[in-house]
């Protein structure tokens, strides 16, 4: 492979990966303390954007996500631990804000739903199989065979 092809291939790979590396965090949001900024990024990566609902607030460009990112940074600047900042947001918005909600009474149905659906499907399949007759159909009588043969032998359309 020539060096030009390698460069072209590398360019294509980097161009396809680049959008996934882009974050929604704006330069004016970034904290001057790199340790605090790293903590803020770690927290916001685990929080759900309430507008997008399928992205973390770290990835979302929604205004509410920006406000939540700023709120996380404010809480950290006040000296709160990561858990305290996260707990503040959970208290305010509920477990829905967490991308990975904990297993508790509120979320037990959510976590157990796949098993319940599989179990219900297995029970329905079992009852469906039990309802099927286990005895084979009775064989055709000679008169029925003759009648069937006459239908198939005739040239007239059905």
């Amino acid at each position: 492979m020539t060096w030009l092809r390698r460069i072209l291939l590398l360019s294509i790979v980097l161009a396809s990966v680049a959008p996934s590396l882009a974050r929604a965090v704006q330069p004016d949001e970034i904290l001057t303390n790199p340790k605090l900024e790293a903590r803020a990024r770690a927290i916001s990566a685990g929080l759900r954007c309430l507008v997008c609902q399928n992205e973390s607030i770290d990835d979302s460009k929604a205004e509410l996500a920006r406000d939540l990112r700023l709120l996380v940074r404010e809480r950290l600047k006040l000296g709160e631990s990561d858990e305290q900042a996260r707990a503040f947001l959970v208290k305010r918005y509920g477990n829905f804000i967490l991308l990975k909600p904990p297993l508790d009474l509120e979320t037990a149905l959510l976590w157990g739903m796949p098993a319940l659906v599989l179990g219900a499907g297995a029970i329905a399949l079992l009852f469906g199989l039990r309802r099927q007759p286990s005895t084979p159909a009775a064989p055709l009588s000679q008169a029925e065979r003759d009648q069937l043969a006459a239908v198939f032998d005739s040239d007239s359309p059905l």
Side-chain angles (χ1 to χ4, degrees):
M1 192 185 283
T2 66
W3 63 272
L4 185 58
R5 284 186 182 175
R6 286 183 183 176
I7 290 175
L8 182 62
L9 182 62
L10 182 62
S11 300
I12 291 171
V13 169
L14 289 176
S16 65
V17 173
S20 66
L21 298 175
R23 299 284 184 187
V25 177
Q26 302 299 313
D28 62 332
E29 297 176 36
I30 297 174
L31 297 171
T32 55
N33 184 337
K35 288 183 181 179
L36 275 182
E37 180 61 26
R39 287 176 54 205
R41 289 285 180 103
I43 293 170
S44 61
L47 298 175
R48 179 187 320 275
C49 174
L50 299 172
V51 176
C52 309
Q53 296 186 6
N54 202 21
E55 289 183 313
S56 70
I57 63 171
D58 203 38
D59 297 329
S60 175
K61 293 184 184 343
E63 276 298 313
L64 181 58
R66 175 183 164 79
D67 294 343
L68 290 172
R69 287 191 302 265
L70 291 172
L71 182 61
V72 166
R73 284 164 173 76
E74 287 282 321
R75 305 300 288 191
L76 292 179
K77 280 195 245 178
L78 292 173
E80 290 186 0
S81 69
D82 295 2
E83 217 27 68
Q84 288 172 323
R86 194 175 293 111
F88 174 80
L89 290 167
V90 169
K91 184 178 178 185
R92 188 178 242 190
Y93 297 103
N95 280 332
F96 181 73
I97 198 163
L98 299 174
L99 281 172
K100 294 179 183 175
L103 178 58
D104 59 11
L105 279 177
E106 286 181 10
T107 59
L109 185 61
L110 171 71
W111 285 103
M113 188 59 69
L116 290 175
V117 169
L118 270 172
I123 290 171
L125 182 65
L126 201 98
F127 279 117
L129 291 175
R130 291 178 110 194
R131 287 188 182 174
Q132 288 183 347
S134 59
T135 58
L140 295 176
S141 67
Q142 187 60 41
E144 291 170 330
R145 281 192 223 133
D146 292 342
Q147 188 179 10
L148 191 58
V151 169
F152 284 121
D153 289 342
S154 70
D155 292 333
S156 64
L158 296 175

